[in-house]
Amino acid sequence: MRTVRSVADLRAALAGPRRDGRTIGLVPTMGALHQGHLSLVRRARADTDVVVVSLFVNPAQFAPTEDLAAYPRDEARDAELAEKAGADLLFAPPVDEVYPPGFATTVRVGGVSEPLEGAQRGASHFDGVATVVTKLLNMAGPDVAYFGQKDAQQAAVVRRVVRDLDLPVRIEVCPTVREPDGLAMSSRNAYLTADERARAVALKHALDAARAAVEQGERDAAAVASAAAAPMRALDVEPEYLALVDPESFLPVDSIDRDVLVAVAARVGKARLIDNATIRRAR
Ligand code: AMP
């Protein structure tokens, strides 16, 4: 595996394989790689001929009050893990390679970017995500790009950009990888103390409780949400939101008469955690 830091070097490395008709897979990450990220790399390895992992902690998607400075960074470890999982190229650009002096363009997605994460973190969060993903897709020109269902709203925003701007890439969204107790893997789990780590499973318990309520016949979204809130209260974790939404538009649903996404966010100590699950319509 080679590490490249400039767009020119990335394109030079991919020009030959592209000319030979080999397919390119891109896995965009902010590093601090864990098994969730590596599942995307392995999937890209299985699907495509040349696997590019990008490693870029994107300042544009962090609000000034968020954890940009504290975000875990360990490129040497990430490089080793990415290579073992099958990456051919690690693209690790410095900030000014992505945002050169005078940078003044933003990709803003309406609609799906507005509720939940967009409302909590502010519009600039998904502006930053949409802009950097558009740039990474233009830099690497992959045939397929891989994202995690863990960040379901982000994946929906990316699908929207790709459709709306006619970007020539297929987007694959891969299942959430979890710790043995159910906690969704996240680079931010590193912030948790032992006590907080034990309580962090509250988000997964909420999703399980929502599913159980629907399996028992509950169809009213507010009642399902209230059933989901109970295990969070028991672990003293206050949701920022706990919402039943349409999986494409992310608008709230009133009743479980179709596939519904249960999405939850909560702060546990210094970590802001998110998780979600799809509840299939009972047929
Ligand atoms: P991040 O480095 O957090 O920006 O994540 C990079 C990619 O990995 C995104 O597409 C995430 O959705 C995905 N990802 C993060 N955590 C997980 C997980 N636990 N399971 C599957 N994919 C994940």
Side-chain angles (χ1 to χ4, degrees):
M1 189 188 72
R2 252 182 76 200
T3 297
V4 293
R5 301 193 185 276
S6 70
V7 178
D9 285 350
L10 176 66
R11 290 194 171 138
L14 293 173
R18 202 190 317 278
R19 215 174 21 246
D20 296 341
R22 301 178 72 202
T23 57
I24 297 164
L26 173 67
V27 181
T29 82
M30 298 204 301
L33 299 185
H34 51 65
Q35 288 301 322
H37 299 114
L38 299 176
S39 73
L40 307 184
V41 179
R42 289 191 200 99
R43 174 71 189 282
R45 177 75 282 156
D47 288 359
T48 60
D49 297 322
V50 183
V51 176
V52 183
V53 173
S54 66
L55 195 172
F56 181 63
V57 183
N58 175 32
Q61 71 191 69
F62 288 77
T65 52
E66 292 182 350
D67 55 342
L68 175 62
Y71 200 82
R73 291 166 171 86
D74 187 345
E75 186 185 311
R77 178 178 171 277
D78 288 344
E80 204 178 308
L81 290 171
E83 178 166 31
K84 277 203 193 117
D88 298 302
L89 273 175
L90 185 70
F91 177 49
V95 171
D96 61 0
E97 180 70 7
V98 179
Y99 300 112
F103 186 86
T105 302
T106 298
V107 178
R108 167 164 289 190
V109 177
V112 66
S113 70
E114 288 162 19
L116 305 185
E117 288 298 284
Q120 286 294 328
R121 301 186 66 176
S124 65
H125 170 63
F126 282 128
D127 288 358
V129 169
T131 303
V132 85
V133 170
T134 302
K135 286 174 64 70
L136 291 168
L137 293 173
N138 282 332
M139 291 167 176
D143 297 276
V144 193
Y146 296 86
F147 294 85
Q149 175 65 21
K150 153 88 175 9
D151 299 279
Q153 195 175 2
Q154 167 174 284
V157 167
V158 168
R159 283 195 194 282
R160 192 73 253 165
V161 174
V162 165
R163 238 178 268 151
D164 289 356
L165 298 184
D166 307 297
L167 302 180
V169 63
R170 190 174 97 225
I171 301 300
E172 288 289 344
V173 180
C174 304
T176 302
V177 177
R178 299 178 178 283
E179 299 287 355
D181 69 351
L183 175 67
M185 290 192 182
S186 164
S187 306
R188 292 189 166 99
N189 293 349
Y191 300 152
L192 298 167
T193 64
D195 167 65
E196 290 159 0
R197 171 65 189 79
R199 289 166 50 234
V201 77
L203 286 82
K204 176 63 162 73
H205 287 183
L207 302 177
D208 291 345
R211 185 184 306 282
V214 174
E215 277 168 6
Q216 282 157 28
E218 185 57 68
R219 291 292 174 269
D220 178 61
V224 172
S226 139
M232 297 193 71
R233 254 194 321 275
L235 285 164
D236 196 24
V237 175
E238 175 75 23
E240 269 185 16
Y241 60 74
L242 174 51
L244 279 78
V245 299
D246 177 272
E248 280 207 9
S249 68
F250 281 75
L251 292 175
V253 299
D254 293 333
S255 68
I256 321 298
D257 51 10
R258 53 190 147 146
D259 291 355
V260 165
L261 189 87
V262 190
V264 61
R267 212 168 272 285
V268 181
K270 287 200 183 72
R272 184 176 180 280
L273 306 177
I274 61 172
D275 202 347
N276 69 85
T278 306
I279 299 184
R280 306 263 169 228
R281 181 174 74 97
R283 283 169 222 278

